[in-house]
Amino acid sequence: MDGIATKPAIADGCTHAPGVAVLNLALQGGGAHGAFTWGVLDRLLEAPERIGFEGISATSAGAMNAACLAYGMAAGGPEEARAVLERFWMRIADSAVLSPLQPTWLDRIQPQMGLAFSPSFLAFDLLSRLFSPYEFNPLKLNPLRDVLERTVDFAVLRDAPCPLKLFLSATNVRTGRVKVFDKAELCADAVLASACLPFLFHAVEIGGEAYWDGGYMGNPAIFPLIYGCESRDVVIVHINPTVRAEVPRTARDILNRVNEISFNSSLMREMRAIQFVTDLIDQGRVPDGQLKRMLIHAIAADEVMGALGAQSKLNADRGFLLALRDAGRRHAGMWLETNAEALGTRSTVDIRAAYL
């Protein structure tokens, strides 16, 4: 039923049965491309007899997915989490129907999922380059707030006994440091801060500090999962392609690649640190048990994401979101069949080959 999120009876949807592999999730941001992560989560939630979650570190659209998943788990377990995620993304599609960023029927015949040559998008793209959001959006309008508050009851999310740990990253505008909001601090503002693109929205102010998108400093941050969780397994759900075969030539493609590299840079640095610790352990240079061996896994679809233009990150067309969801479900299903047995015993990603 559509409407304001209500306070359901709390269900112990986070208790893990014997034999369930408990893992941590690391969810990247990427605007509407976060619907791919929705699909990944939807598929993993279908397998509670095999997979359980301890912690989630997330940024931007990943933070929205994380908040929906955690709220659904607290409210009713895996099936409710799947329902909450679907409600969130379908409300995103509904709220965007009248948005000036969405393509008309004529625009939809154009490449790049309808936005590459959308006149409305091009006009807004130019506007955002000439004026700041403080100038073209003085009322601080943000349609994401309404969707979040209608979908997630943050009081339930903060107070529920569900042990699922949340770590949402934002970037402190003044200091340039990463700010990680934990479960006790979660509210709509914290999620919006994690997803605050500075060329589109006013900085989100919390506790006297201003925040921008967490992707600049942690997309996503891995260290909260290392220090804050018992499970050694981390599954990274990639949205931003790490590798592109061709060198970009157009101004828009160059800017897109610069953003991809920037938003992947913090993850690359953390992977280097994890590999360094792994080498120390393998070489016997540290006492047994003094350092924590992390087991790294990844679900990605570079062949899907690499084919999309940067403009499609703003495309909330229902068909587009559902197509990305289905791609996420397929890739998560393939990952489960290929790699689930390795959870708890070994990494399924070659860190050196993938990140260093």
Side-chain angles (χ1 to χ4, degrees), residues 167-224:
F167 309 97
L168 308 188
S169 295
T171 301
N172 187 305
V173 178
R174 185 178 59 83
T175 67
R177 298 173 183 169
V178 64
K179 164 64 178 177
V180 179
F181 295 96
D182 62 23
K183 183 179 173 182
E185 300 174 286
L186 284 192
C187 58
D189 278 342
V191 180
L192 292 173
S194 182
C196 179
L197 293 171
F199 298 107
L200 295 181
F201 303 115
H202 293 231
V204 178
E205 296 187 8
I206 302 174
E209 293 286 358
Y211 296 99
W212 282 341
D213 194 293
Y216 296 107
M217 295 303 295
N219 193 26
I222 305 298
F223 70 87

Side-chain angles (χ1 to χ4, degrees), residues 27 30 63 77 84 147 149 161 186 229 245 250 278 288 296 300 323 325:
L27 310 181
V84 172
V147 174
E149 292 179 340
L186 284 192
C229 297
T250 69
T278 301
D288 186 43
I296 304 301
R325 179 205 62 185

Side-chain angles (χ1 to χ4, degrees), residues 74 153-162 182-188:
D153 188 322
F154 285 93
V156 168
L157 181 56
R158 287 190 301 269
D159 300 336
C162 171
D182 62 23
K183 183 179 173 182
E185 300 174 286
L186 284 192
C187 58

Side-chain angles (χ1 to χ4, degrees), residues 23 27 48 59 68 92 108-109 117 132 162 187 204 237 239 250 298:
L23 55 83
L27 310 181
T59 296
C68 291
I92 288 289
R108 294 184 191 196
I109 67 173
F117 300 102
S132 84
C162 171
C187 58
V204 178
V237 182
I239 295 296
T250 69

Side-chain angles (χ1 to χ4, degrees), residues 8 10-14 25 27 41 45 53-58 62-78 80-82 84-85 151-154 156-168 182-183 186 191:
I10 301 301
D12 190 7
C14 298
L25 294 168
L27 310 181
L41 299 177
L45 286 163
F53 308 119
E54 180 184 3
I56 308 176
S57 181
M64 296 181 186
N65 278 316
C68 291
L69 185 152
Y71 170 63
M73 291 293 283
E80 180 62 16
R82 295 181 65 209
V84 172
L85 282 161
T151 307
V152 176
D153 188 322
F154 285 93
V156 168
L157 181 56
R158 287 190 301 269
D159 300 336
C162 171
L164 189 62
K165 302 168 184 175
L166 286 185
F167 309 97
L168 308 188
D182 62 23
K183 183 179 173 182
L186 284 192
V191 180

Side-chain angles (χ1 to χ4, degrees), residues 34 56 68-69 79 82 90 180 208 271 277 290 297 317 329:
I56 308 176
C68 291
L69 185 152
E79 285 305 310
R82 295 181 65 209
M90 291 300 93
V180 179
M271 289 297 105
V277 169
Q290 186 178 61
H297 317 274
D317 177 78
R329 283 184 53 83

